[in-house]
Amino acid sequence: MAQVITKCRLTGHYMFMGMDIDPKEFTGSPGPFARKYCPFCACEHVWYKEDTKFLAAKSVTRPKVQQAS
Ligand SMILES: [Zn+2]
């Protein structure tokens, strides 16, 4: 599973979609997959799978605890 971030086509900024998905299934068919409010455009618009990147859930849930000594 992975976190979904999608690029706003108007501003080029990436936004967290708040979704946890399987990248293989998600990218099976291209096109718009969600309609959400965009804070960069200050309006609601569709978001496309082609503009989407994935963040591994592991790196999100596991904070770095290394300490220099
Ligand atoms: Zn936007």
Side-chain angles (χ1 to χ4, degrees):
M1 301 296 272
Q3 289 285 323
V4 179
I5 56 170
T6 305
K7 187 171 74 177
C8 168
R9 289 196 164 182
L10 283 91
T11 65
H13 289 290
Y14 280 87
M15 187 175 93
F16 260 100
M17 291 287 110
M19 298 164 66
D20 214 5
I21 52 82
D22 181 345
K24 284 178 192 167
E25 288 185 21
F26 188 81
T27 52
S29 59
F33 67 96
R35 188 178 175 87
K36 274 181 182 288
Y37 177 80
C38 175
F40 308 113
C41 299
C43 72
E44 196 180 280
H45 61 69
V46 293
W47 301 80
Y48 296 84
K49 290 183 178 180
E50 299 96 302
D51 302 330
T52 296
K53 285 186 181 177
F54 306 106
L55 299 179
K58 285 178 190 170
S59 61
V60 175
T61 54
R62 188 158 183 161
K64 289 176 185 170
V65 290
Q66 284 186 342
Q67 285 185 338
S69 56

